[in-house]
Amino acid sequence: MRAPEIAYHPARRPLVRRGSADPVTVLLHRHRELCERAVDPLEIAAGLEAHGLTDRAAARYRHRDVFSLAEELYARAPRPERPGPPPYPGPRRRPGTEARAGWTLRALLPGAACLATAAVLRGTEGVLGGGSRLAVTAAGALLVLLGLRLCLRTGPLRAPDGSGGVTLLVCWLLGYAVYGEDLLDQVISGGPDGHWNAAPAPLLGLALAVAPAAWCAHLFSVGARHRLTGSHALADFGAGVRLLLLGVVALFLCATTALVYLAGLGYGGDGALLAPAALGVLLLLARLLAVHGFPEPAATGLAAACAVEVAAPFLVLAGRLPGLDLLARPVDTVVREAGAGGVPALACGIAALGLLTHASVTLSRASAHATVQAVDAQSRGADAAGLPLAPHTPSTRRNRT
């Protein structure tokens, strides 16, 4: 029972519970887990962007961009104290240099194995029989695959969740680069008949290009982190990363073309350059997307190129049936204008262009670089120190608020 004098008063206003006056506090509670486990403000910025927060939305929280808002959230978020690394009495080393040397040597293994196999086959020509040469080729291919697997498990080409199930697609593309042109020539001329003549120069050039691919992926990752530290807005970061991606792809294209050309000279001819170079760029873009957490688009691009290469000889064969000669006309036109190598060049080129367009959108987001596994930390010996594998986190940017 209330006292009569306070039961009702016409001048008394109902009490209203006001929320927090600071909108940043509300955002901190909403993303508390992200802010507490972040080891860098830029990781928070990437997480906010992944949740749809833009620079314009950051103005509602009294900040001019997502980066400055992330710095305040990082400063406010409570986090447990983490023990520092134990003191090391010896002289300080540069683990980054040792790590780069390690994965660079591993990236050279596929090219070295392929080059050694080619040298053995070239030196024993006319000495070994067909069975022995086939055994040497099989042993060399096994060494190349082991070296490539070791290279893709560590270093800048390491994907967080594996290769995304594209092993068969890559094997088909590489096999077609070796045997595809001769197969298509035989089908168009009325075959296939007899054995297929191999063209090992593209495979040798692509195996040697694994090392430039690793360095291009490393340059892209490091350059993107540097742009994160120096960007003032998400739009500035995206524009810088797109230019960086185009520069890295152009650099790798030049390196791959030169290596394929040198490999062709080693086999006594210049050989085709456009198709192997397009295949190399396609494989690089697919791997970059897989490394940064987008394996599905990478697999789609590789599958599209494989589908075109598979369909080309079948369309020619189907065109031999009565009334279906129209099916073979596109392949005949491409072969007549650009040769048999025009089909893989067109297939890989269009697929690479599609992946480049997709990568210029997805890899220009800050969240794409926060999902990358800590390849550098692993290479620097973080696993030896007992540290878990964590996402890439760039260095802390100076406070601009």
Side-chain angles (χ1 to χ4, degrees):
M1 298 293 295
R2 287 188 174 185
E5 62 271 13
I6 66 172
Y8 173 75
H9 196 283
R12 188 183 299 275
R13 295 180 179 179
L15 294 177
V16 178
R17 179 171 296 178
R18 298 182 180 272
S20 174
D22 188 3
V24 180
T25 304
V26 179
L27 188 65
L28 177 62
H29 286 287
R30 186 179 304 168
H31 302 282
R32 188 179 187 88
E33 183 180 356
L34 170 66
C35 298
E36 287 181 353
R37 64 177 173 82
V39 296
D40 190 276
L42 298 177
E43 186 178 350
I44 299 179
L48 294 178
E49 187 213 26
H51 284 85
L53 190 69
T54 61
D55 291 330
R56 180 174 297 181
R60 299 200 304 265
Y61 300 94
R62 303 170 186 173
H63 285 270
R64 64 175 178 269
D65 53 48
V66 176
F67 291 105
S68 60
L69 175 61
E71 288 178 348
E72 183 173 352
L73 290 174
Y74 181 79
R76 289 191 183 189
R79 54 181 53 84
E81 294 294 333
R82 298 174 181 174
Y88 182 69
R92 294 192 62 182
R93 303 180 186 177
R94 297 188 62 184
T97 304
E98 298 178 359
R100 285 191 294 269
W103 57 254
T104 300
L105 290 176
R106 288 189 290 270
L108 292 173
L109 291 178
C114 192
L115 187 61
T117 304
V120 171
L121 292 176
R122 192 70 178 271
T124 58
E125 189 173 359
V127 178
L128 297 179
S132 300
R133 293 179 65 83
L134 182 60
V136 172
T137 303
L142 181 60
L143 290 177
V144 172
L145 291 178
L146 291 177
L148 185 61
R149 180 176 178 82
L150 182 61
C151 173
L152 297 181
R153 292 184 63 181
T154 57
L157 293 178
R158 181 186 185 276
D161 296 323
S163 59
V166 298
T167 304
L168 293 178
L169 301 177
V170 174
C171 290
W172 169 264
L173 291 172
L174 294 177
Y176 194 90
V178 178
Y179 296 102
E181 294 187 18
D182 187 67
L183 170 64
L184 190 58
D185 283 333
Q186 291 189 18
V187 171
I188 292 178
S189 61
D193 50 1
H195 63 279
W196 303 332
N197 296 322
L203 183 61
L204 176 59
L206 292 174
L208 294 173
V210 174
W215 268 100
C216 287
H218 174 70
L219 292 177
F220 178 72
S221 178
V222 172
R225 293 203 300 269
H226 284 200
R227 277 163 175 76
L228 267 176
T229 60
S231 299
H232 295 272
L234 294 176
D236 296 339
F237 170 75
V241 170
R242 278 190 289 270
L243 290 177
L244 177 63
L245 178 63
L246 293 177
V248 166
V249 171
L251 177 62
F252 179 74
L253 177 61
C254 295
T256 305
T257 304
L259 290 173
V260 172
Y261 178 75
L262 293 176
L265 291 180
Y267 279 94
D270 49 0
L273 298 178
L274 186 58
L279 176 57
V281 173
L282 174 62
L283 295 177
L284 174 68
L285 290 171
R287 196 62 190 181
L288 281 179
L289 287 171
V291 166
H292 290 269
F294 301 97
E296 293 83 5
T300 302
L302 295 176
C306 290
V308 174
E309 292 181 350
V310 170
F314 280 99
L315 288 177
V316 175
L317 293 175
R320 298 175 183 176
L321 299 177
L324 297 180
D325 56 337
L326 186 63
L327 296 177
R329 287 183 183 178
V331 181
D332 293 336
T333 303
V334 173
V335 173
R336 183 174 60 252
E337 297 296 333
V343 173
L346 186 64
C348 297
I350 294 178
L353 184 60
L355 287 188
L356 180 60
T357 304
H358 184 81
S360 64
V361 176
T362 56
L363 299 186
S364 61
R365 302 170 184 169
S367 55
H369 302 275
T371 58
V372 183
Q373 295 293 326
V375 176
D376 293 340
Q378 182 187 26
S379 302
R380 293 172 186 175
D383 51 348
L387 299 177
L389 203 61
H392 271 307
T393 52
S395 56
T396 307
R397 186 169 53 96
R398 290 185 178 179
N399 195 348
R400 301 187 305 272
T401 57

